[in-house]
C-alpha cells in the first residue's frame, strides 16, 4: 500500500502542475509549447483547458483511494495519459510520449489497486 501512496503522490503533484499550466497559462514557455502541440494535433485552447480540468479533477480525486472518487480520479489521469500517448505516436515521435507512458502506467497501477 505504501507504493500506491507514492504513486498517488507523484501523479497528483505532476498533474496539479500540468493542469495549472493548461488552465491558467502561468508558465509561459511550457504553456506556449503545449498550446503549439495541441494546435498541431488539430485541437484548440478550449480543448486544452478541458484536458487541464480533467487532469485537475484526477489529481485531486486520486487522493480518495477506497472510494469511487479515487478510482474515477485515477481513470481520468489514465485517460488523459492514453490520449497524450496517442497524439504523440501519431504526430510526434514515441520519445516525446515517454512521460505520458509513465503516467499512464502509474495511473493504471493505481486503478488496478
Amino acid at each position: 500500500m505504501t507504493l500506491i501512496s507514492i504513486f498517488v503522490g507523484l501523479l497528483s503533484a505532476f498533474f496539479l502542475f500540468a493542469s495549472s499550466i493548461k488552465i491558467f497559462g502561468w508558465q509561459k514557455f511550457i504553456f506556449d509549447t503545449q498550446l503549439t502541440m495541441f494546435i498541431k494535433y488539430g485541437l484548440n485552447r478550449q480543448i486544452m483547458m478541458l484536458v487541464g480540468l480533467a487532469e485537475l479533477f484526477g489529481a485531486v480525486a486520486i487522493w480518495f483511494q477506497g472510494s469511487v472518487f479515487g478510482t474515477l480520479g485515477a481513470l481520468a489521469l489514465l485517460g488523459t495519459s492514453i490520449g497524450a500517448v496517442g497524439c504523440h505516436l501519431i504526430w510526434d515521435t514515441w520519445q516525446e510520449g515517454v512521460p505520458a507512458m509513465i503516467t499512464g502506467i502509474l495511473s493504471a497501477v493505481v486503478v488496478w489497486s
Side-chain angles (χ1 to χ4, degrees):
M1 196 54 142
T2 303
L3 189 60
I4 298 302
S5 297
I6 292 169
F7 289 174
V8 167
L10 289 171
L11 286 166
S12 185
F14 177 82
F15 281 106
L16 282 172
F17 177 72
S19 68
S20 70
I21 293 172
K22 287 181 183 81
I23 296 167
F24 301 112
W26 63 270
Q27 211 297 331
K28 184 162 176 45
F29 178 76
I30 296 173
F31 175 81
D32 290 342
T33 303
Q34 288 184 345
L35 184 58
T36 300
M37 283 192 295
F38 269 74
I39 291 169
K40 181 168 72 170
Y41 304 156
L43 305 171
N44 59 27
R45 171 71 179 108
Q46 289 76 24
I47 299 298
M48 185 172 158
M49 182 172 285
L50 284 174
V51 170
L53 290 171
E55 290 174 346
L56 177 61
F57 167 77
V60 173
I62 198 170
W63 284 99
F64 297 97
Q65 290 300 301
S67 76
V68 69
F69 291 110
T71 303
L72 289 175
L75 285 170
L77 299 181
L78 179 59
T80 59
S81 296
I82 290 171
V85 168
C87 288
H88 288 302
L89 290 177
I90 293 168
W91 286 285
D92 299 322
T93 64
W94 70 269
Q95 291 94 339
E96 291 178 284
V98 169
M101 292 175 198
I102 293 169
T103 59
I105 290 168
L106 295 178
S107 299
V109 169
V110 173
V111 169
W112 183 260
S113 71

